[in-house]
Short mmCIF file of all heavy atoms in Angstrom, two decimals:
data_model
loop_
_atom_site.label_atom_id
_atom_site.label_comp_id
_atom_site.label_asym_id
_atom_site.label_seq_id
_atom_site.Cartn_x
_atom_site.Cartn_y
_atom_site.Cartn_z
N MET A 185 -1.94 74.92 158.76
CA MET A 185 -1.47 74.10 157.66
C MET A 185 0.06 74.09 157.70
O MET A 185 0.69 75.14 157.63
CB MET A 185 -1.99 74.68 156.35
CG MET A 185 -1.54 73.96 155.14
SD MET A 185 -2.38 74.44 153.63
CE MET A 185 -2.15 76.18 153.56
N ARG A 186 0.64 72.93 157.81
CA ARG A 186 2.08 72.78 157.88
C ARG A 186 2.63 72.32 156.54
O ARG A 186 1.99 71.56 155.83
CB ARG A 186 2.43 71.77 158.94
CG ARG A 186 1.95 72.16 160.31
CD ARG A 186 2.37 71.17 161.29
NE ARG A 186 3.76 71.51 161.64
CZ ARG A 186 4.36 71.09 162.71
NH1 ARG A 186 3.74 70.28 163.52
NH2 ARG A 186 5.58 71.43 162.96
N ILE A 187 3.82 72.79 156.23
CA ILE A 187 4.48 72.37 155.00
C ILE A 187 4.84 70.90 155.14
O ILE A 187 5.40 70.49 156.14
CB ILE A 187 5.73 73.22 154.76
CG1 ILE A 187 5.33 74.66 154.49
CG2 ILE A 187 6.54 72.66 153.60
CD1 ILE A 187 6.50 75.60 154.38
N ASN A 188 4.47 70.10 154.14
CA ASN A 188 4.78 68.67 154.20
C ASN A 188 5.47 68.18 152.93
O ASN A 188 5.52 67.00 152.68
CB ASN A 188 3.52 67.84 154.50
CG ASN A 188 2.45 67.96 153.46
OD1 ASN A 188 2.61 68.63 152.46
ND2 ASN A 188 1.33 67.32 153.71
N GLU A 189 5.99 69.10 152.13
CA GLU A 189 6.73 68.75 150.91
C GLU A 189 8.15 69.28 151.00
O GLU A 189 8.37 70.37 151.51
CB GLU A 189 6.09 69.38 149.68
CG GLU A 189 4.74 68.87 149.32
CD GLU A 189 4.18 69.61 148.12
OE1 GLU A 189 4.87 70.46 147.54
OE2 GLU A 189 3.04 69.33 147.78
N SER A 190 9.07 68.54 150.47
CA SER A 190 10.44 69.05 150.39
C SER A 190 10.53 70.05 149.23
O SER A 190 9.64 70.12 148.38
CB SER A 190 11.42 67.91 150.17
OG SER A 190 11.23 67.33 148.90
N SER A 191 11.61 70.80 149.21
CA SER A 191 11.76 71.78 148.12
C SER A 191 11.93 71.07 146.77
O SER A 191 11.43 71.56 145.76
CB SER A 191 12.94 72.71 148.41
OG SER A 191 14.12 71.96 148.58
N LEU A 192 12.59 69.93 146.76
CA LEU A 192 12.73 69.17 145.51
C LEU A 192 11.36 68.68 145.03
O LEU A 192 11.05 68.76 143.83
CB LEU A 192 13.66 67.98 145.70
CG LEU A 192 13.85 67.08 144.48
CD1 LEU A 192 14.51 67.86 143.35
CD2 LEU A 192 14.68 65.86 144.84
N ASP A 193 10.53 68.22 145.94
CA ASP A 193 9.18 67.77 145.60
C ASP A 193 8.37 68.93 145.02
O ASP A 193 7.67 68.77 144.02
CB ASP A 193 8.50 67.21 146.84
CG ASP A 193 7.24 66.43 146.55
OD1 ASP A 193 6.99 66.13 145.36
OD2 ASP A 193 6.51 66.11 147.50
N SER A 194 8.49 70.11 145.60
CA SER A 194 7.77 71.28 145.11
C SER A 194 8.24 71.67 143.71
O SER A 194 7.42 71.99 142.84
CB SER A 194 7.95 72.46 146.06
OG SER A 194 7.34 72.20 147.29
N ILE A 195 9.55 71.62 143.48
CA ILE A 195 10.09 71.98 142.17
C ILE A 195 9.61 71.00 141.11
O ILE A 195 9.21 71.40 140.00
CB ILE A 195 11.63 72.04 142.23
CG1 ILE A 195 12.07 73.23 143.06
CG2 ILE A 195 12.24 72.10 140.83
CD1 ILE A 195 13.54 73.24 143.41
N ILE A 196 9.63 69.72 141.42
CA ILE A 196 9.16 68.71 140.47
C ILE A 196 7.69 68.91 140.16
O ILE A 196 7.26 68.82 139.00
CB ILE A 196 9.43 67.29 141.00
CG1 ILE A 196 10.93 67.02 141.02
CG2 ILE A 196 8.70 66.24 140.18
CD1 ILE A 196 11.34 65.76 141.73
N ARG A 197 6.89 69.21 141.18
CA ARG A 197 5.46 69.46 140.96
C ARG A 197 5.22 70.66 140.07
O ARG A 197 4.34 70.65 139.20
CB ARG A 197 4.75 69.66 142.29
CG ARG A 197 4.55 68.40 143.08
CD ARG A 197 3.98 68.72 144.45
NE ARG A 197 3.91 67.54 145.26
CZ ARG A 197 2.79 66.88 145.52
NH1 ARG A 197 1.66 67.32 145.03
NH2 ARG A 197 2.81 65.81 146.26
N ILE A 198 5.99 71.72 140.28
CA ILE A 198 5.80 72.94 139.47
C ILE A 198 6.17 72.68 138.02
O ILE A 198 5.45 73.10 137.10
CB ILE A 198 6.59 74.10 140.09
CG1 ILE A 198 5.95 74.51 141.42
CG2 ILE A 198 6.65 75.29 139.14
CD1 ILE A 198 6.76 75.49 142.23
N PHE A 199 7.29 71.99 137.77
CA PHE A 199 7.67 71.67 136.40
C PHE A 199 6.63 70.77 135.73
O PHE A 199 6.28 70.96 134.56
CB PHE A 199 9.05 71.03 136.34
CG PHE A 199 10.17 72.02 136.38
CD1 PHE A 199 11.08 72.00 137.42
CD2 PHE A 199 10.31 72.97 135.39
CE1 PHE A 199 12.11 72.92 137.47
CE2 PHE A 199 11.34 73.90 135.43
CZ PHE A 199 12.25 73.87 136.47
N ALA A 200 6.13 69.77 136.46
CA ALA A 200 5.11 68.89 135.90
C ALA A 200 3.83 69.67 135.61
O ALA A 200 3.16 69.44 134.60
CB ALA A 200 4.82 67.74 136.86
N ALA A 201 3.50 70.61 136.48
CA ALA A 201 2.30 71.43 136.28
C ALA A 201 2.43 72.29 135.03
O ALA A 201 1.48 72.38 134.23
CB ALA A 201 2.06 72.31 137.50
N VAL A 202 3.57 72.91 134.85
CA VAL A 202 3.78 73.75 133.66
C VAL A 202 3.66 72.90 132.40
O VAL A 202 3.03 73.31 131.42
CB VAL A 202 5.15 74.46 133.74
CG1 VAL A 202 5.52 75.12 132.42
CG2 VAL A 202 5.14 75.49 134.86
N PHE A 203 4.24 71.71 132.42
CA PHE A 203 4.16 70.81 131.27
C PHE A 203 2.70 70.41 130.98
O PHE A 203 2.25 70.47 129.84
CB PHE A 203 5.02 69.57 131.51
CG PHE A 203 4.97 68.59 130.39
CD1 PHE A 203 5.57 68.87 129.17
CD2 PHE A 203 4.33 67.38 130.54
CE1 PHE A 203 5.52 67.96 128.12
CE2 PHE A 203 4.28 66.46 129.51
CZ PHE A 203 4.87 66.76 128.29
N LEU A 204 1.96 70.02 132.03
CA LEU A 204 0.56 69.62 131.82
C LEU A 204 -0.31 70.79 131.36
O LEU A 204 -1.18 70.62 130.51
CB LEU A 204 -0.01 69.02 133.10
CG LEU A 204 0.50 67.62 133.46
CD1 LEU A 204 -0.01 67.21 134.83
CD2 LEU A 204 0.07 66.62 132.41
N LEU A 205 -0.07 71.97 131.91
CA LEU A 205 -0.84 73.13 131.48
C LEU A 205 -0.51 73.50 130.04
O LEU A 205 -1.39 73.93 129.28
CB LEU A 205 -0.59 74.30 132.43
CG LEU A 205 -1.19 74.13 133.82
CD1 LEU A 205 -0.71 75.25 134.73
CD2 LEU A 205 -2.71 74.11 133.76
N TYR A 206 0.74 73.33 129.65
CA TYR A 206 1.10 73.56 128.25
C TYR A 206 0.37 72.58 127.34
O TYR A 206 -0.15 72.97 126.29
CB TYR A 206 2.61 73.41 128.06
CG TYR A 206 3.01 73.33 126.62
CD1 TYR A 206 2.98 74.46 125.81
CD2 TYR A 206 3.38 72.12 126.04
CE1 TYR A 206 3.32 74.38 124.47
CE2 TYR A 206 3.72 72.04 124.70
CZ TYR A 206 3.69 73.17 123.92
OH TYR A 206 4.02 73.10 122.60
N LEU A 207 0.32 71.31 127.74
CA LEU A 207 -0.38 70.32 126.92
C LEU A 207 -1.87 70.63 126.82
O LEU A 207 -2.46 70.51 125.74
CB LEU A 207 -0.19 68.91 127.49
CG LEU A 207 1.19 68.30 127.38
CD1 LEU A 207 1.21 66.94 128.07
CD2 LEU A 207 1.62 68.17 125.94
N GLY A 208 -2.46 71.01 127.94
CA GLY A 208 -3.91 71.26 127.96
C GLY A 208 -4.31 72.55 127.27
O GLY A 208 -5.20 72.56 126.42
N PHE A 209 -3.65 73.63 127.63
CA PHE A 209 -4.02 74.93 127.07
C PHE A 209 -3.34 75.22 125.74
O PHE A 209 -3.81 76.05 124.97
CB PHE A 209 -3.69 76.06 128.06
CG PHE A 209 -4.62 76.12 129.24
CD1 PHE A 209 -4.11 76.04 130.52
CD2 PHE A 209 -5.98 76.27 129.07
CE1 PHE A 209 -4.94 76.10 131.62
CE2 PHE A 209 -6.82 76.34 130.16
CZ PHE A 209 -6.30 76.24 131.44
N GLY A 210 -2.23 74.56 125.49
CA GLY A 210 -1.48 74.81 124.26
C GLY A 210 -2.05 74.13 123.03
O GLY A 210 -1.55 74.32 121.93
N GLY A 211 -3.07 73.32 123.20
CA GLY A 211 -3.69 72.68 122.06
C GLY A 211 -3.06 71.36 121.66
O GLY A 211 -3.41 70.80 120.61
N GLU A 212 -2.13 70.87 122.46
CA GLU A 212 -1.50 69.59 122.15
C GLU A 212 -2.46 68.42 122.41
O GLU A 212 -2.35 67.37 121.79
CB GLU A 212 -0.23 69.40 122.98
CG GLU A 212 0.84 70.44 122.72
CD GLU A 212 1.37 70.39 121.30
OE1 GLU A 212 1.48 69.29 120.75
OE2 GLU A 212 1.67 71.46 120.76
N LEU A 213 -3.36 68.60 123.36
CA LEU A 213 -4.37 67.58 123.68
C LEU A 213 -5.76 68.15 123.38
O LEU A 213 -5.96 69.35 123.40
CB LEU A 213 -4.28 67.18 125.16
CG LEU A 213 -2.98 66.54 125.62
CD1 LEU A 213 -3.01 66.34 127.12
CD2 LEU A 213 -2.76 65.22 124.92
N ASN A 214 -6.70 67.26 123.15
CA ASN A 214 -8.07 67.68 122.85
C ASN A 214 -9.05 66.96 123.75
O ASN A 214 -8.79 65.86 124.24
CB ASN A 214 -8.43 67.37 121.39
CG ASN A 214 -7.61 68.19 120.42
OD1 ASN A 214 -7.33 69.35 120.67
ND2 ASN A 214 -7.20 67.56 119.34
N GLY A 215 -10.21 67.57 123.93
CA GLY A 215 -11.31 66.91 124.62
C GLY A 215 -11.05 66.67 126.09
O GLY A 215 -10.54 67.52 126.81
N VAL A 216 -11.42 65.48 126.53
CA VAL A 216 -11.33 65.10 127.94
C VAL A 216 -9.88 65.11 128.41
O VAL A 216 -9.60 65.48 129.55
CB VAL A 216 -11.97 63.72 128.15
CG1 VAL A 216 -11.79 63.25 129.58
CG2 VAL A 216 -13.44 63.75 127.79
N TRP A 217 -8.95 64.72 127.54
CA TRP A 217 -7.55 64.68 127.94
C TRP A 217 -7.02 66.08 128.24
O TRP A 217 -6.21 66.26 129.16
CB TRP A 217 -6.71 64.01 126.87
CG TRP A 217 -7.02 62.56 126.74
CD1 TRP A 217 -7.66 61.95 125.72
CD2 TRP A 217 -6.72 61.54 127.70
NE1 TRP A 217 -7.79 60.60 125.96
CE2 TRP A 217 -7.21 60.32 127.18
CE3 TRP A 217 -6.09 61.52 128.92
CZ2 TRP A 217 -7.10 59.12 127.86
CZ3 TRP A 217 -5.97 60.32 129.60
CH2 TRP A 217 -6.47 59.14 129.07
N ALA A 218 -7.45 67.07 127.49
CA ALA A 218 -7.02 68.45 127.74
C ALA A 218 -7.57 68.95 129.06
O ALA A 218 -6.86 69.60 129.84
CB ALA A 218 -7.46 69.35 126.60
N ILE A 219 -8.83 68.63 129.34
CA ILE A 219 -9.44 69.05 130.60
C ILE A 219 -8.74 68.38 131.78
O ILE A 219 -8.43 69.02 132.80
CB ILE A 219 -10.95 68.75 130.60
CG1 ILE A 219 -11.64 69.60 129.54
CG2 ILE A 219 -11.56 68.98 131.97
CD1 ILE A 219 -13.08 69.19 129.26
N ALA A 220 -8.45 67.08 131.66
CA ALA A 220 -7.76 66.35 132.74
C ALA A 220 -6.36 66.91 132.96
O ALA A 220 -5.93 67.08 134.11
CB ALA A 220 -7.70 64.87 132.40
N ALA A 221 -5.65 67.22 131.88
CA ALA A 221 -4.31 67.79 132.02
C ALA A 221 -4.36 69.15 132.70
O ALA A 221 -3.52 69.46 133.54
CB ALA A 221 -3.65 67.90 130.64
N ASP A 222 -5.37 69.95 132.36
CA ASP A 222 -5.52 71.26 132.99
C ASP A 222 -5.82 71.14 134.48
O ASP A 222 -5.25 71.86 135.30
CB ASP A 222 -6.62 72.06 132.30
CG ASP A 222 -6.26 72.45 130.88
OD1 ASP A 222 -5.05 72.48 130.56
OD2 ASP A 222 -7.18 72.72 130.09
N ILE A 223 -6.72 70.24 134.84
CA ILE A 223 -7.08 70.07 136.25
C ILE A 223 -5.87 69.58 137.05
O ILE A 223 -5.56 70.14 138.11
CB ILE A 223 -8.28 69.11 136.39
CG1 ILE A 223 -9.54 69.77 135.84
CG2 ILE A 223 -8.48 68.69 137.85
CD1 ILE A 223 -10.72 68.85 135.72
N PHE A 224 -5.20 68.54 136.57
CA PHE A 224 -4.03 68.03 137.28
C PHE A 224 -2.91 69.06 137.32
O PHE A 224 -2.19 69.17 138.32
CB PHE A 224 -3.53 66.73 136.66
CG PHE A 224 -4.39 65.55 136.97
CD1 PHE A 224 -4.90 64.77 135.95
CD2 PHE A 224 -4.71 65.22 138.27
CE1 PHE A 224 -5.70 63.67 136.22
CE2 PHE A 224 -5.50 64.12 138.56
CZ PHE A 224 -6.00 63.34 137.53
N GLY A 225 -2.78 69.82 136.25
CA GLY A 225 -1.76 70.87 136.23
C GLY A 225 -2.01 71.95 137.27
O GLY A 225 -1.09 72.38 137.97
N VAL A 226 -3.25 72.37 137.41
CA VAL A 226 -3.59 73.39 138.40
C VAL A 226 -3.38 72.86 139.81
O VAL A 226 -2.83 73.54 140.68
CB VAL A 226 -5.04 73.89 138.20
CG1 VAL A 226 -5.51 74.73 139.37
CG2 VAL A 226 -5.15 74.69 136.91
N VAL A 227 -3.80 71.62 140.06
CA VAL A 227 -3.62 71.03 141.39
C VAL A 227 -2.14 70.90 141.73
O VAL A 227 -1.70 71.26 142.83
CB VAL A 227 -4.33 69.65 141.48
CG1 VAL A 227 -3.93 68.91 142.74
CG2 VAL A 227 -5.83 69.84 141.41
N LEU A 228 -1.34 70.41 140.79
CA LEU A 228 0.10 70.30 141.03
C LEU A 228 0.75 71.65 141.25
O LEU A 228 1.64 71.80 142.09
CB LEU A 228 0.78 69.57 139.88
CG LEU A 228 0.57 68.07 139.79
CD1 LEU A 228 1.22 67.52 138.53
CD2 LEU A 228 1.14 67.38 141.01
N LEU A 229 0.33 72.64 140.50
CA LEU A 229 0.88 73.98 140.65
C LEU A 229 0.56 74.56 142.03
O LEU A 229 1.44 75.09 142.71
CB LEU A 229 0.36 74.90 139.55
CG LEU A 229 0.95 76.30 139.52
CD1 LEU A 229 2.44 76.23 139.24
CD2 LEU A 229 0.25 77.14 138.46
N LEU A 230 -0.68 74.42 142.45
CA LEU A 230 -1.06 74.93 143.77
C LEU A 230 -0.31 74.23 144.89
O LEU A 230 0.21 74.88 145.80
CB LEU A 230 -2.57 74.79 143.98
CG LEU A 230 -3.45 75.75 143.20
CD1 LEU A 230 -4.92 75.42 143.40
CD2 LEU A 230 -3.18 77.18 143.62
N THR A 231 -0.27 72.92 144.85
CA THR A 231 0.42 72.18 145.92
C THR A 231 1.92 72.44 145.89
O THR A 231 2.56 72.48 146.93
CB THR A 231 0.14 70.67 145.84
OG1 THR A 231 0.58 70.16 144.59
CG2 THR A 231 -1.33 70.38 146.06
N GLY A 232 2.48 72.64 144.71
CA GLY A 232 3.90 72.94 144.62
C GLY A 232 4.26 74.31 145.14
O GLY A 232 5.29 74.50 145.78
N VAL A 233 3.39 75.28 144.89
CA VAL A 233 3.66 76.65 145.34
C VAL A 233 3.49 76.80 146.84
O VAL A 233 4.32 77.42 147.51
CB VAL A 233 2.76 77.65 144.57
CG1 VAL A 233 2.82 79.02 145.19
CG2 VAL A 233 3.18 77.71 143.11
N ILE A 234 2.42 76.22 147.40
CA ILE A 234 2.18 76.39 148.84
C ILE A 234 2.94 75.39 149.69
O ILE A 234 3.09 75.58 150.89
CB ILE A 234 0.68 76.36 149.18
CG1 ILE A 234 0.06 75.01 148.86
CG2 ILE A 234 -0.05 77.47 148.49
CD1 ILE A 234 -1.38 74.87 149.30
N GLY A 235 3.44 74.30 149.10
CA GLY A 235 4.23 73.33 149.84
C GLY A 235 3.43 72.37 150.69
O GLY A 235 3.97 71.70 151.55
N PHE A 236 2.14 72.29 150.45
CA PHE A 236 1.27 71.42 151.24
C PHE A 236 0.48 70.52 150.30
O PHE A 236 -0.14 70.99 149.35
CB PHE A 236 0.29 72.26 152.07
CG PHE A 236 -0.67 71.43 152.86
CD1 PHE A 236 -0.28 70.82 154.03
CD2 PHE A 236 -1.97 71.26 152.43
CE1 PHE A 236 -1.16 70.05 154.76
CE2 PHE A 236 -2.87 70.50 153.16
CZ PHE A 236 -2.46 69.89 154.32
N CYS A 237 0.53 69.21 150.56
CA CYS A 237 -0.22 68.25 149.78
C CYS A 237 -1.27 67.60 150.68
O CYS A 237 -0.92 66.97 151.68
CB CYS A 237 0.71 67.19 149.21
SG CYS A 237 -0.15 65.92 148.27
N PRO A 238 -2.55 67.74 150.36
CA PRO A 238 -3.59 67.13 151.19
C PRO A 238 -3.49 65.61 151.28
O PRO A 238 -3.80 65.04 152.33
CB PRO A 238 -4.90 67.54 150.51
CG PRO A 238 -4.55 68.71 149.66
CD PRO A 238 -3.12 68.55 149.29
N LEU A 239 -3.05 64.95 150.21
CA LEU A 239 -2.89 63.50 150.28
C LEU A 239 -1.78 63.10 151.24
O LEU A 239 -1.91 62.11 151.96
CB LEU A 239 -2.61 62.93 148.89
CG LEU A 239 -3.79 62.90 147.94
CD1 LEU A 239 -3.35 62.41 146.57
CD2 LEU A 239 -4.89 62.01 148.47
N TYR A 240 -0.70 63.86 151.26
CA TYR A 240 0.37 63.60 152.23
C TYR A 240 -0.18 63.74 153.65
O TYR A 240 0.14 62.94 154.52
CB TYR A 240 1.52 64.57 152.05
CG TYR A 240 2.45 64.28 150.90
CD1 TYR A 240 2.22 63.26 149.98
CD2 TYR A 240 3.59 65.05 150.72
CE1 TYR A 240 3.08 63.03 148.95
CE2 TYR A 240 4.46 64.83 149.67
CZ TYR A 240 4.20 63.82 148.79
OH TYR A 240 5.06 63.59 147.75
N ALA A 241 -0.97 64.77 153.88
CA ALA A 241 -1.53 65.00 155.21
C ALA A 241 -2.49 63.89 155.60
O ALA A 241 -2.51 63.45 156.76
CB ALA A 241 -2.22 66.35 155.26
N MET A 242 -3.30 63.44 154.67
CA MET A 242 -4.28 62.40 154.96
C MET A 242 -3.60 61.10 155.37
O MET A 242 -4.06 60.40 156.27
CB MET A 242 -5.18 62.17 153.73
CG MET A 242 -6.30 61.20 153.98
SD MET A 242 -7.51 61.14 152.62
CE MET A 242 -6.52 60.59 151.27
N PHE A 243 -2.48 60.78 154.72
CA PHE A 243 -1.76 59.55 155.03
C PHE A 243 -0.61 59.77 156.02
O PHE A 243 0.20 58.88 156.24
CB PHE A 243 -1.23 58.90 153.75
CG PHE A 243 -2.32 58.38 152.87
CD1 PHE A 243 -2.57 58.96 151.64
CD2 PHE A 243 -3.11 57.32 153.28
CE1 PHE A 243 -3.58 58.48 150.82
CE2 PHE A 243 -4.12 56.84 152.47
CZ PHE A 243 -4.36 57.42 151.24
N LYS A 244 -0.54 61.00 156.60
CA LYS A 244 0.50 61.36 157.58
C LYS A 244 1.91 61.11 157.03
O LYS A 244 2.77 60.56 157.71
CB LYS A 244 0.28 60.62 158.89
CG LYS A 244 -1.00 61.02 159.57
CD LYS A 244 -1.20 60.25 160.85
CE LYS A 244 -2.38 60.66 161.64
NZ LYS A 244 -3.60 60.96 161.05
N PHE A 245 2.12 61.51 155.81
CA PHE A 245 3.38 61.34 155.12
C PHE A 245 4.04 62.71 154.99
O PHE A 245 3.40 63.67 154.57
CB PHE A 245 3.12 60.73 153.74
CG PHE A 245 4.35 60.42 152.95
CD1 PHE A 245 5.18 59.38 153.33
CD2 PHE A 245 4.66 61.16 151.83
CE1 PHE A 245 6.30 59.08 152.59
CE2 PHE A 245 5.79 60.87 151.09
CZ PHE A 245 6.61 59.82 151.48
N ARG A 246 5.29 62.82 155.40
CA ARG A 246 6.01 64.10 155.32
C ARG A 246 7.31 63.89 154.58
O ARG A 246 8.02 62.93 154.81
CB ARG A 246 6.29 64.64 156.71
CG ARG A 246 5.05 65.04 157.45
CD ARG A 246 5.38 65.48 158.86
NE ARG A 246 6.37 66.54 158.91
CZ ARG A 246 6.08 67.85 158.91
NH1 ARG A 246 4.84 68.23 158.84
NH2 ARG A 246 7.03 68.73 158.98
N LYS A 247 7.65 64.81 153.70
CA LYS A 247 8.90 64.75 152.95
C LYS A 247 9.89 65.81 153.45
O LYS A 247 10.93 65.99 152.88
CB LYS A 247 8.65 64.99 151.47
CG LYS A 247 7.76 63.99 150.78
CD LYS A 247 8.52 62.77 150.43
CE LYS A 247 9.32 63.05 149.20
NZ LYS A 247 9.91 61.91 148.59
N VAL A 248 9.56 66.50 154.52
CA VAL A 248 10.40 67.57 155.02
C VAL A 248 10.71 67.29 156.50
O VAL A 248 9.90 66.67 157.20
CB VAL A 248 9.71 68.93 154.82
CG1 VAL A 248 8.50 69.09 155.68
CG2 VAL A 248 10.66 70.08 155.03
N ASN A 249 11.88 67.72 156.95
CA ASN A 249 12.23 67.54 158.36
C ASN A 249 11.35 68.41 159.24
O ASN A 249 10.94 69.49 158.85
CB ASN A 249 13.69 67.92 158.60
CG ASN A 249 14.63 66.96 157.91
OD1 ASN A 249 14.28 65.81 157.68
ND2 ASN A 249 15.83 67.43 157.59
N LYS A 250 11.10 67.96 160.46
CA LYS A 250 10.26 68.73 161.37
C LYS A 250 10.92 70.04 161.77
O LYS A 250 10.25 71.01 162.04
CB LYS A 250 9.95 67.90 162.62
CG LYS A 250 9.04 66.76 162.32
CD LYS A 250 8.65 66.03 163.57
CE LYS A 250 7.72 64.89 163.18
NZ LYS A 250 7.17 64.21 164.31
N LYS A 251 12.25 70.10 161.76
CA LYS A 251 12.95 71.33 162.12
C LYS A 251 12.75 72.43 161.10
O LYS A 251 12.70 73.59 161.44
CB LYS A 251 14.44 71.04 162.26
CG LYS A 251 14.78 70.15 163.41
CD LYS A 251 16.27 69.91 163.44
CE LYS A 251 16.62 68.93 164.54
NZ LYS A 251 18.05 68.62 164.52
N SER A 252 12.64 72.08 159.83
CA SER A 252 12.56 73.09 158.78
C SER A 252 11.14 73.49 158.43
O SER A 252 10.94 74.35 157.60
CB SER A 252 13.27 72.60 157.53
OG SER A 252 12.63 71.47 157.02
N SER A 253 10.13 72.86 159.02
CA SER A 253 8.74 73.21 158.71
C SER A 253 8.28 74.36 159.59
O SER A 253 8.83 74.61 160.65
CB SER A 253 7.82 72.02 158.86
OG SER A 253 7.77 71.63 160.22
N LEU A 254 7.27 75.05 159.15
CA LEU A 254 6.73 76.18 159.92
C LEU A 254 5.79 75.72 160.99
O LEU A 254 5.12 74.79 160.96
CB LEU A 254 6.03 77.15 158.97
CG LEU A 254 6.93 77.82 157.96
CD1 LEU A 254 6.09 78.67 157.02
CD2 LEU A 254 7.99 78.66 158.60
#
């Protein structure tokens, strides 16, 4: 698995994940919207932390230079 996200992309994903998890678990949203926010928040958090996005890989899209990837 190769890193395919830039560090800025990862930071944005992590901040968005924290916000969505706050909305879902913090009681700001109810019902289906809270569940959707939690699911998207967890996915964004995981992809932001590991630096790999499966959708980027599927479409052969890379946001990082080949020199800086592992």
Side-chain angles (χ1 to χ4, degrees):
M185 178 169 55
R186 299 183 82 161
I187 294 174
N188 62 2
E189 293 177 4
S190 67
S191 57
L192 178 63
D193 194 11
S194 294
I195 291 169
I196 291 170
R197 286 174 185 256
I198 291 170
F199 278 118
V202 169
F203 179 70
L204 287 173
L205 290 172
Y206 167 74
L207 290 177
F209 287 123
E212 299 296 324
L213 297 174
N214 294 322
V216 175
W217 292 109
I219 295 169
D222 292 339
I223 291 171
F224 285 126
V226 168
V227 169
L228 286 176
L229 185 63
L230 287 175
T231 59
V233 169
I234 63 174
F236 178 78
C237 178
L239 287 175
Y240 282 5
M242 185 171 62
F243 292 113
K244 295 179 176 41
F245 184 71
R246 293 176 56 90
K247 298 279 281 191
V248 68
N249 293 334
K250 291 185 180 187
K251 293 179 184 176
S252 64
S253 66
L254 296 176

